[in-house]
Amino acid sequence: MGRRSRKRRSSASATKPKPRPAAATATEKPPAVTTATATEQKPLSRSERRNAEARAKLVPLAPGQRPPAVTVAAVIALALGIGNIIAFAAGLTIEGKRPGLISIAIPSVIMLVAGVGMWRAKYWAVLGFQALLGILICYLALFLIRASNLLGFVVPIAIIVPSSFLFWKLVKSLARIQMPENPTRRPPA
């Protein structure tokens, strides 16, 4: 085997055993522990200061209050869920074929649950809807690669731009919605 390129320890330091600290007895006092935290020792960076200022400006939502972006997202989700059900009931076809009930029911239920959850300003609903928006944006961006005509380019862009804007606004709204506390978690004693 070849030698590694790392620097080797000198043989004097490798053979010398390290002294062990003496075990503390019941009569001895333990060494004093400093209570200074890392933030007291080191000043905050510029980005940490900006984050702290942004968090200080955030005002938690009052009970029953909903940010405007969450309201818009809830209305969109409810409209998509109800629209899918109405289109299926009306007998709408896709490329001449009627879609299966499951392929319409699952996305419709997801949208309706997300819409109701966002209407109630639930953290999980906004986060889930953001995930769906992110998947939609990435999926449509892949369609742009295959765009062979003007319509194939305009339609994805017409959906990506407002979806991205709504995604960004939901990020700020999500900061104002308080994440629910886990009832099984207890604060450290």
Side-chain angles (χ1 to χ4, degrees):
M1 260 172 130
R3 293 184 122 188
R4 295 184 183 239
S5 62
R6 293 187 197 160
K7 190 175 180 181
R8 298 208 177 253
R9 293 183 187 176
S10 65
S11 60
S13 66
T15 58
K16 192 187 289 185
K18 294 181 180 178
R20 289 188 161 187
T25 61
T27 58
E28 293 180 23
K29 291 183 180 178
V33 179
T34 59
T35 58
T37 61
T39 57
E40 292 173 358
Q41 295 173 357
K42 188 172 88 173
L44 294 175
S45 68
R46 255 189 324 177
S47 62
E48 289 172 338
R49 271 188 268 127
R50 277 185 281 161
N51 286 342
E53 290 170 6
R55 281 190 210 98
K57 290 179 185 176
L58 286 176
V59 179
L61 295 174
Q65 186 181 9
R66 195 176 39 253
V70 175
T71 304
V72 169
V75 169
I76 289 171
L78 289 170
L80 287 173
I82 293 169
N84 275 345
I85 294 170
I86 291 172
F88 181 76
L92 204 63
T93 59
I94 299 173
E95 294 181 1
K97 296 179 185 176
R98 186 166 165 86
L101 178 64
I102 300 296
S103 63
I104 294 297
I106 291 174
S108 296
V109 167
I110 290 172
M111 285 295 155
L112 291 172
V113 168
V116 170
M118 286 188 290
W119 191 260
R120 295 180 178 171
K122 298 292 183 184
Y123 190 88
W124 57 266
V126 178
L127 191 62
F129 192 73
Q130 276 187 301
L132 290 174
L133 276 177
I135 292 168
L136 174 72
I137 291 166
C138 292
Y139 190 71
L140 289 174
L142 291 175
F143 270 128
L144 287 174
I145 295 171
R146 291 190 54 210
S148 59
N149 57 18
L150 185 62
L151 186 64
F153 180 77
V154 171
V155 170
I157 292 293
I159 298 172
I160 289 172
V161 170
S163 297
S164 301
F165 181 73
L166 181 60
F167 184 91
W168 180 250
K169 289 297 186 178
L170 286 175
V171 169
K172 286 186 168 188
S173 298
L174 198 58
R176 291 187 62 202
I177 297 174
Q178 299 297 313
M179 187 167 171
E181 292 293 324
N182 187 350
T184 60
R185 236 175 107 179
R186 294 193 177 111

Short mmCIF file of all heavy atoms in Angstrom, two decimals, residues 55-118:
data_model
loop_
_atom_site.label_atom_id
_atom_site.label_comp_id
_atom_site.label_asym_id
_atom_site.label_seq_id
_atom_site.Cartn_x
_atom_site.Cartn_y
_atom_site.Cartn_z
N ARG A 55 -37.53 39.58 12.18
CA ARG A 55 -38.38 38.86 13.14
C ARG A 55 -39.03 39.80 14.14
O ARG A 55 -40.16 39.58 14.55
CB ARG A 55 -37.56 37.82 13.88
CG ARG A 55 -37.33 36.58 13.10
CD ARG A 55 -36.72 35.48 13.95
NE ARG A 55 -35.91 34.64 13.12
CZ ARG A 55 -34.60 34.73 12.99
NH1 ARG A 55 -33.92 35.62 13.67
NH2 ARG A 55 -33.95 33.92 12.19
N ALA A 56 -38.32 40.85 14.51
CA ALA A 56 -38.88 41.81 15.46
C ALA A 56 -40.04 42.59 14.84
O ALA A 56 -40.97 42.99 15.55
CB ALA A 56 -37.79 42.77 15.94
N LYS A 57 -40.00 42.81 13.53
CA LYS A 57 -41.06 43.54 12.85
C LYS A 57 -42.33 42.70 12.64
O LYS A 57 -43.39 43.25 12.42
CB LYS A 57 -40.58 44.04 11.49
CG LYS A 57 -39.55 45.15 11.57
CD LYS A 57 -39.12 45.55 10.18
CE LYS A 57 -37.99 46.57 10.23
NZ LYS A 57 -37.50 46.88 8.89
N LEU A 58 -42.19 41.36 12.68
CA LEU A 58 -43.34 40.50 12.45
C LEU A 58 -44.35 40.62 13.59
O LEU A 58 -43.98 40.59 14.75
CB LEU A 58 -42.91 39.04 12.33
CG LEU A 58 -42.21 38.64 11.05
CD1 LEU A 58 -41.77 37.19 11.14
CD2 LEU A 58 -43.11 38.84 9.86
N VAL A 59 -45.59 40.77 13.22
CA VAL A 59 -46.67 40.84 14.21
C VAL A 59 -47.48 39.56 14.09
O VAL A 59 -48.00 39.25 13.02
CB VAL A 59 -47.57 42.07 13.93
CG1 VAL A 59 -48.70 42.14 14.92
CG2 VAL A 59 -46.74 43.34 13.94
N PRO A 60 -47.58 38.77 15.18
CA PRO A 60 -48.38 37.55 15.10
C PRO A 60 -49.83 37.86 14.77
O PRO A 60 -50.34 38.94 15.07
CB PRO A 60 -48.26 36.94 16.49
CG PRO A 60 -47.10 37.60 17.13
CD PRO A 60 -46.96 38.94 16.48
N LEU A 61 -50.48 36.93 14.14
CA LEU A 61 -51.87 37.11 13.74
C LEU A 61 -52.79 37.06 14.96
O LEU A 61 -52.58 36.29 15.88
CB LEU A 61 -52.29 36.01 12.77
CG LEU A 61 -51.58 36.00 11.43
CD1 LEU A 61 -52.01 34.78 10.65
CD2 LEU A 61 -51.88 37.25 10.66
N ALA A 62 -53.80 37.89 14.92
CA ALA A 62 -54.83 37.85 15.95
C ALA A 62 -55.74 36.65 15.66
O ALA A 62 -55.79 36.17 14.53
CB ALA A 62 -55.64 39.14 15.94
N PRO A 63 -56.46 36.15 16.65
CA PRO A 63 -57.36 35.03 16.40
C PRO A 63 -58.38 35.39 15.32
O PRO A 63 -59.00 36.44 15.35
CB PRO A 63 -58.04 34.80 17.74
CG PRO A 63 -57.11 35.38 18.75
CD PRO A 63 -56.42 36.52 18.06
N GLY A 64 -58.52 34.50 14.34
CA GLY A 64 -59.46 34.74 13.25
C GLY A 64 -58.91 35.58 12.12
O GLY A 64 -59.56 35.75 11.10
N GLN A 65 -57.72 36.13 12.27
CA GLN A 65 -57.12 36.97 11.24
C GLN A 65 -56.38 36.07 10.23
O GLN A 65 -55.85 35.03 10.59
CB GLN A 65 -56.15 37.96 11.86
CG GLN A 65 -55.58 38.95 10.87
CD GLN A 65 -54.59 39.91 11.53
OE1 GLN A 65 -54.19 39.72 12.67
NE2 GLN A 65 -54.18 40.92 10.80
N ARG A 66 -56.35 36.52 8.97
CA ARG A 66 -55.71 35.76 7.91
C ARG A 66 -54.98 36.74 7.01
O ARG A 66 -55.57 37.73 6.57
CB ARG A 66 -56.81 35.00 7.16
CG ARG A 66 -56.40 33.92 6.28
CD ARG A 66 -57.58 33.17 5.66
NE ARG A 66 -58.69 34.02 5.26
CZ ARG A 66 -59.86 34.09 5.90
NH1 ARG A 66 -60.08 33.39 6.97
NH2 ARG A 66 -60.82 34.89 5.46
N PRO A 67 -53.71 36.49 6.68
CA PRO A 67 -53.01 37.38 5.75
C PRO A 67 -53.67 37.35 4.37
O PRO A 67 -54.24 36.33 3.97
CB PRO A 67 -51.60 36.80 5.68
CG PRO A 67 -51.45 35.96 6.88
CD PRO A 67 -52.81 35.46 7.22
N PRO A 68 -53.60 38.45 3.63
CA PRO A 68 -54.24 38.50 2.31
C PRO A 68 -53.74 37.42 1.35
O PRO A 68 -54.52 36.86 0.58
CB PRO A 68 -53.90 39.89 1.78
CG PRO A 68 -53.55 40.69 2.98
CD PRO A 68 -53.03 39.75 4.01
N ALA A 69 -52.44 37.11 1.38
CA ALA A 69 -51.91 36.08 0.48
C ALA A 69 -52.50 34.72 0.79
O ALA A 69 -52.77 33.93 -0.13
CB ALA A 69 -50.39 36.03 0.58
N VAL A 70 -52.73 34.43 2.05
CA VAL A 70 -53.33 33.15 2.44
C VAL A 70 -54.79 33.11 1.99
O VAL A 70 -55.28 32.06 1.55
CB VAL A 70 -53.19 32.92 3.96
CG1 VAL A 70 -53.91 31.67 4.40
CG2 VAL A 70 -51.72 32.84 4.35
N THR A 71 -55.48 34.23 2.07
CA THR A 71 -56.87 34.29 1.60
C THR A 71 -56.93 34.03 0.09
O THR A 71 -57.77 33.26 -0.37
CB THR A 71 -57.48 35.67 1.92
OG1 THR A 71 -57.37 35.90 3.32
CG2 THR A 71 -58.93 35.74 1.52
N VAL A 72 -56.04 34.66 -0.66
CA VAL A 72 -56.01 34.46 -2.11
C VAL A 72 -55.70 32.99 -2.42
O VAL A 72 -56.35 32.37 -3.28
CB VAL A 72 -54.96 35.39 -2.77
CG1 VAL A 72 -54.70 35.01 -4.21
CG2 VAL A 72 -55.40 36.83 -2.65
N ALA A 73 -54.72 32.41 -1.72
CA ALA A 73 -54.37 31.01 -1.95
C ALA A 73 -55.53 30.09 -1.59
O ALA A 73 -55.77 29.10 -2.30
CB ALA A 73 -53.13 30.65 -1.13
N ALA A 74 -56.26 30.39 -0.52
CA ALA A 74 -57.41 29.57 -0.13
C ALA A 74 -58.49 29.62 -1.18
O ALA A 74 -59.07 28.58 -1.54
CB ALA A 74 -57.95 30.04 1.23
N VAL A 75 -58.77 30.80 -1.70
CA VAL A 75 -59.79 30.94 -2.74
C VAL A 75 -59.38 30.19 -4.01
O VAL A 75 -60.20 29.49 -4.63
CB VAL A 75 -60.07 32.44 -3.04
CG1 VAL A 75 -60.91 32.61 -4.28
CG2 VAL A 75 -60.72 33.09 -1.84
N ILE A 76 -58.11 30.27 -4.38
CA ILE A 76 -57.61 29.56 -5.57
C ILE A 76 -57.74 28.04 -5.37
O ILE A 76 -58.21 27.32 -6.25
CB ILE A 76 -56.15 29.96 -5.89
CG1 ILE A 76 -56.11 31.39 -6.41
CG2 ILE A 76 -55.52 29.01 -6.88
CD1 ILE A 76 -54.71 31.96 -6.55
N ALA A 77 -57.32 27.55 -4.20
CA ALA A 77 -57.40 26.11 -3.93
C ALA A 77 -58.84 25.62 -3.93
O ALA A 77 -59.15 24.57 -4.51
CB ALA A 77 -56.72 25.80 -2.60
N LEU A 78 -59.73 26.38 -3.30
CA LEU A 78 -61.14 25.99 -3.28
C LEU A 78 -61.74 26.03 -4.69
O LEU A 78 -62.51 25.13 -5.07
CB LEU A 78 -61.94 26.89 -2.34
CG LEU A 78 -61.65 26.68 -0.84
CD1 LEU A 78 -62.30 27.77 -0.01
CD2 LEU A 78 -62.13 25.31 -0.39
N ALA A 79 -61.40 27.04 -5.47
CA ALA A 79 -61.91 27.14 -6.84
C ALA A 79 -61.41 25.98 -7.70
O ALA A 79 -62.19 25.42 -8.50
CB ALA A 79 -61.51 28.47 -7.46
N LEU A 80 -60.15 25.61 -7.56
CA LEU A 80 -59.62 24.48 -8.33
C LEU A 80 -60.28 23.17 -7.92
O LEU A 80 -60.62 22.33 -8.77
CB LEU A 80 -58.10 24.38 -8.17
CG LEU A 80 -57.27 25.43 -8.88
CD1 LEU A 80 -55.81 25.32 -8.50
CD2 LEU A 80 -57.43 25.31 -10.39
N GLY A 81 -60.46 22.96 -6.62
CA GLY A 81 -61.09 21.74 -6.15
C GLY A 81 -62.53 21.62 -6.60
O GLY A 81 -62.95 20.57 -7.12
N ILE A 82 -63.29 22.68 -6.44
CA ILE A 82 -64.70 22.68 -6.85
C ILE A 82 -64.81 22.63 -8.37
O ILE A 82 -65.66 21.92 -8.93
CB ILE A 82 -65.43 23.91 -6.26
CG1 ILE A 82 -65.51 23.78 -4.74
CG2 ILE A 82 -66.82 24.05 -6.86
CD1 ILE A 82 -65.98 25.03 -4.03
N GLY A 83 -63.92 23.34 -9.06
CA GLY A 83 -63.93 23.35 -10.53
C GLY A 83 -63.67 21.97 -11.11
O GLY A 83 -64.30 21.58 -12.10
N ASN A 84 -62.74 21.21 -10.52
CA ASN A 84 -62.49 19.85 -10.99
C ASN A 84 -63.72 18.98 -10.84
O ASN A 84 -64.06 18.20 -11.74
CB ASN A 84 -61.33 19.22 -10.21
CG ASN A 84 -59.99 19.58 -10.78
OD1 ASN A 84 -59.88 20.07 -11.89
ND2 ASN A 84 -58.95 19.33 -10.00
N ILE A 85 -64.38 19.09 -9.71
CA ILE A 85 -65.58 18.27 -9.46
C ILE A 85 -66.69 18.65 -10.43
O ILE A 85 -67.36 17.78 -11.00
CB ILE A 85 -66.03 18.41 -8.00
CG1 ILE A 85 -64.96 17.80 -7.08
CG2 ILE A 85 -67.38 17.75 -7.76
CD1 ILE A 85 -65.17 18.09 -5.62
N ILE A 86 -66.91 19.94 -10.64
CA ILE A 86 -67.95 20.40 -11.57
C ILE A 86 -67.64 19.95 -12.99
O ILE A 86 -68.54 19.48 -13.72
CB ILE A 86 -68.12 21.93 -11.48
CG1 ILE A 86 -68.73 22.31 -10.14
CG2 ILE A 86 -68.97 22.45 -12.63
CD1 ILE A 86 -68.76 23.79 -9.87
N ALA A 87 -66.38 20.07 -13.41
CA ALA A 87 -66.00 19.66 -14.77
C ALA A 87 -66.21 18.16 -14.96
O ALA A 87 -66.68 17.72 -16.02
CB ALA A 87 -64.54 20.03 -15.03
N PHE A 88 -65.89 17.37 -13.95
CA PHE A 88 -66.09 15.93 -14.05
C PHE A 88 -67.58 15.60 -14.12
O PHE A 88 -68.01 14.76 -14.92
CB PHE A 88 -65.45 15.21 -12.85
CG PHE A 88 -65.60 13.72 -12.91
CD1 PHE A 88 -64.82 12.98 -13.77
CD2 PHE A 88 -66.53 13.07 -12.13
CE1 PHE A 88 -64.95 11.60 -13.84
CE2 PHE A 88 -66.68 11.70 -12.18
CZ PHE A 88 -65.89 10.95 -13.05
N ALA A 89 -68.37 16.27 -13.28
CA ALA A 89 -69.82 16.02 -13.27
C ALA A 89 -70.47 16.46 -14.59
O ALA A 89 -71.45 15.84 -15.03
CB ALA A 89 -70.47 16.76 -12.10
N ALA A 90 -69.92 17.47 -15.23
CA ALA A 90 -70.47 17.95 -16.50
C ALA A 90 -70.06 17.06 -17.67
O ALA A 90 -70.53 17.25 -18.79
CB ALA A 90 -70.01 19.38 -16.75
N GLY A 91 -69.17 16.09 -17.43
CA GLY A 91 -68.77 15.16 -18.48
C GLY A 91 -67.66 15.68 -19.37
O GLY A 91 -67.54 15.25 -20.52
N LEU A 92 -66.84 16.59 -18.87
CA LEU A 92 -65.74 17.14 -19.65
C LEU A 92 -64.74 16.04 -19.99
O LEU A 92 -64.48 15.15 -19.17
CB LEU A 92 -65.05 18.25 -18.86
CG LEU A 92 -64.29 19.29 -19.65
CD1 LEU A 92 -65.26 20.06 -20.56
CD2 LEU A 92 -63.61 20.25 -18.74
N THR A 93 -64.20 16.08 -21.19
CA THR A 93 -63.23 15.07 -21.61
C THR A 93 -61.87 15.71 -21.81
O THR A 93 -61.76 16.91 -22.08
CB THR A 93 -63.66 14.39 -22.92
OG1 THR A 93 -63.78 15.39 -23.93
CG2 THR A 93 -64.98 13.67 -22.75
N ILE A 94 -60.83 14.88 -21.70
CA ILE A 94 -59.46 15.33 -21.95
C ILE A 94 -58.93 14.49 -23.11
O ILE A 94 -58.84 13.26 -23.00
CB ILE A 94 -58.58 15.13 -20.69
CG1 ILE A 94 -59.13 15.95 -19.54
CG2 ILE A 94 -57.14 15.51 -20.99
CD1 ILE A 94 -58.44 15.70 -18.22
N GLU A 95 -58.64 15.15 -24.22
CA GLU A 95 -58.21 14.51 -25.46
C GLU A 95 -59.18 13.41 -25.89
O GLU A 95 -58.79 12.32 -26.28
CB GLU A 95 -56.79 13.95 -25.31
CG GLU A 95 -55.74 15.02 -25.12
CD GLU A 95 -54.34 14.46 -25.00
OE1 GLU A 95 -54.15 13.24 -25.07
OE2 GLU A 95 -53.43 15.27 -24.80
N GLY A 96 -60.47 13.69 -25.74
CA GLY A 96 -61.51 12.77 -26.18
C GLY A 96 -61.84 11.66 -25.20
O GLY A 96 -62.72 10.85 -25.46
N LYS A 97 -61.15 11.58 -24.07
CA LYS A 97 -61.39 10.52 -23.09
C LYS A 97 -61.88 11.14 -21.79
O LYS A 97 -61.41 12.19 -21.38
CB LYS A 97 -60.11 9.73 -22.81
CG LYS A 97 -59.59 8.97 -24.00
CD LYS A 97 -58.32 8.24 -23.62
CE LYS A 97 -57.70 7.57 -24.83
NZ LYS A 97 -56.42 6.96 -24.47
N ARG A 98 -62.79 10.45 -21.15
CA ARG A 98 -63.27 10.89 -19.85
C ARG A 98 -62.31 10.39 -18.78
O ARG A 98 -62.03 9.19 -18.71
CB ARG A 98 -64.68 10.34 -19.62
CG ARG A 98 -65.31 10.87 -18.37
CD ARG A 98 -66.81 10.55 -18.42
NE ARG A 98 -67.43 10.70 -17.13
CZ ARG A 98 -67.88 11.84 -16.65
NH1 ARG A 98 -67.77 12.94 -17.39
NH2 ARG A 98 -68.44 11.91 -15.47
N PRO A 99 -61.77 11.27 -17.91
CA PRO A 99 -60.82 10.83 -16.88
C PRO A 99 -61.52 9.95 -15.84
O PRO A 99 -62.73 10.05 -15.63
CB PRO A 99 -60.31 12.13 -16.27
CG PRO A 99 -61.34 13.15 -16.61
CD PRO A 99 -62.01 12.70 -17.86
N GLY A 100 -60.74 9.11 -15.18
CA GLY A 100 -61.28 8.24 -14.14
C GLY A 100 -61.66 9.05 -12.90
O GLY A 100 -61.14 10.15 -12.66
N LEU A 101 -62.57 8.49 -12.13
CA LEU A 101 -63.05 9.17 -10.93
C LEU A 101 -61.92 9.43 -9.94
O LEU A 101 -61.82 10.51 -9.36
CB LEU A 101 -64.16 8.34 -10.27
CG LEU A 101 -64.73 8.90 -8.97
CD1 LEU A 101 -65.41 10.24 -9.23
CD2 LEU A 101 -65.68 7.92 -8.33
N ILE A 102 -61.05 8.44 -9.76
CA ILE A 102 -59.94 8.58 -8.80
C ILE A 102 -58.98 9.68 -9.23
O ILE A 102 -58.50 10.45 -8.39
CB ILE A 102 -59.18 7.24 -8.65
CG1 ILE A 102 -60.11 6.14 -8.14
CG2 ILE A 102 -57.98 7.37 -7.75
CD1 ILE A 102 -60.67 6.39 -6.76
N SER A 103 -58.71 9.78 -10.52
CA SER A 103 -57.76 10.79 -10.99
C SER A 103 -58.30 12.21 -10.85
O SER A 103 -57.54 13.18 -10.92
CB SER A 103 -57.35 10.52 -12.44
OG SER A 103 -58.48 10.63 -13.29
N ILE A 104 -59.60 12.34 -10.65
CA ILE A 104 -60.19 13.66 -10.41
C ILE A 104 -60.44 13.86 -8.92
O ILE A 104 -60.23 14.95 -8.38
CB ILE A 104 -61.53 13.80 -11.19
CG1 ILE A 104 -61.27 13.79 -12.69
CG2 ILE A 104 -62.28 15.06 -10.78
CD1 ILE A 104 -60.42 14.94 -13.19
N ALA A 105 -60.84 12.81 -8.22
CA ALA A 105 -61.21 12.93 -6.81
C ALA A 105 -60.01 13.26 -5.92
O ALA A 105 -60.12 14.12 -5.04
CB ALA A 105 -61.88 11.64 -6.33
N ILE A 106 -58.89 12.60 -6.15
CA ILE A 106 -57.73 12.81 -5.26
C ILE A 106 -57.22 14.25 -5.33
O ILE A 106 -57.09 14.91 -4.29
CB ILE A 106 -56.63 11.77 -5.55
CG1 ILE A 106 -57.11 10.39 -5.11
CG2 ILE A 106 -55.33 12.14 -4.83
CD1 ILE A 106 -56.18 9.26 -5.45
N PRO A 107 -56.93 14.81 -6.52
CA PRO A 107 -56.49 16.21 -6.54
C PRO A 107 -57.56 17.17 -6.02
O PRO A 107 -57.23 18.17 -5.38
CB PRO A 107 -56.19 16.49 -8.01
CG PRO A 107 -56.06 15.18 -8.67
CD PRO A 107 -56.85 14.21 -7.86
N SER A 108 -58.83 16.86 -6.29
CA SER A 108 -59.90 17.74 -5.82
C SER A 108 -59.97 17.75 -4.30
O SER A 108 -60.11 18.82 -3.69
CB SER A 108 -61.24 17.30 -6.40
OG SER A 108 -61.23 17.43 -7.79
N VAL A 109 -59.87 16.59 -3.68
CA VAL A 109 -59.91 16.51 -2.22
C VAL A 109 -58.70 17.22 -1.62
O VAL A 109 -58.82 17.95 -0.63
CB VAL A 109 -59.99 15.04 -1.76
CG1 VAL A 109 -59.72 14.91 -0.27
CG2 VAL A 109 -61.35 14.46 -2.11
N ILE A 110 -57.52 17.04 -2.23
CA ILE A 110 -56.32 17.72 -1.73
C ILE A 110 -56.51 19.23 -1.78
O ILE A 110 -56.20 19.95 -0.81
CB ILE A 110 -55.07 17.29 -2.53
CG1 ILE A 110 -54.72 15.83 -2.20
CG2 ILE A 110 -53.88 18.19 -2.23
CD1 ILE A 110 -53.64 15.24 -3.07
N MET A 111 -57.03 19.73 -2.88
CA MET A 111 -57.25 21.18 -3.01
C MET A 111 -58.31 21.68 -2.03
O MET A 111 -58.16 22.75 -1.45
CB MET A 111 -57.65 21.55 -4.44
CG MET A 111 -56.52 21.52 -5.41
SD MET A 111 -55.31 22.78 -4.98
CE MET A 111 -53.87 22.09 -5.68
N LEU A 112 -59.38 20.91 -1.86
CA LEU A 112 -60.43 21.34 -0.93
C LEU A 112 -59.92 21.35 0.52
O LEU A 112 -60.21 22.29 1.27
CB LEU A 112 -61.66 20.44 -1.06
CG LEU A 112 -62.43 20.60 -2.38
CD1 LEU A 112 -63.50 19.52 -2.50
CD2 LEU A 112 -63.04 21.98 -2.49
N VAL A 113 -59.17 20.33 0.90
CA VAL A 113 -58.61 20.28 2.26
C VAL A 113 -57.62 21.44 2.46
O VAL A 113 -57.64 22.11 3.51
CB VAL A 113 -57.95 18.92 2.53
CG1 VAL A 113 -57.12 18.94 3.80
CG2 VAL A 113 -59.01 17.83 2.62
N ALA A 114 -56.78 21.67 1.47
CA ALA A 114 -55.82 22.78 1.57
C ALA A 114 -56.55 24.12 1.64
O ALA A 114 -56.18 25.00 2.42
CB ALA A 114 -54.86 22.77 0.39
N GLY A 115 -57.59 24.28 0.83
CA GLY A 115 -58.35 25.54 0.82
C GLY A 115 -59.03 25.81 2.15
O GLY A 115 -58.96 26.92 2.68
N VAL A 116 -59.68 24.79 2.72
CA VAL A 116 -60.34 24.96 4.02
C VAL A 116 -59.30 25.22 5.10
O VAL A 116 -59.49 26.08 5.97
CB VAL A 116 -61.22 23.73 4.35
CG1 VAL A 116 -61.72 23.78 5.78
CG2 VAL A 116 -62.39 23.65 3.39
N GLY A 117 -58.19 24.48 5.05
CA GLY A 117 -57.12 24.68 6.05
C GLY A 117 -56.53 26.08 5.98
O GLY A 117 -56.28 26.72 7.00
N MET A 118 -56.32 26.58 4.77
CA MET A 118 -55.78 27.93 4.63
C MET A 118 -56.81 28.98 5.02
O MET A 118 -56.44 30.02 5.57
CB MET A 118 -55.29 28.17 3.20
CG MET A 118 -54.00 27.47 2.89
SD MET A 118 -53.29 27.90 1.30
CE MET A 118 -54.45 27.13 0.20
#
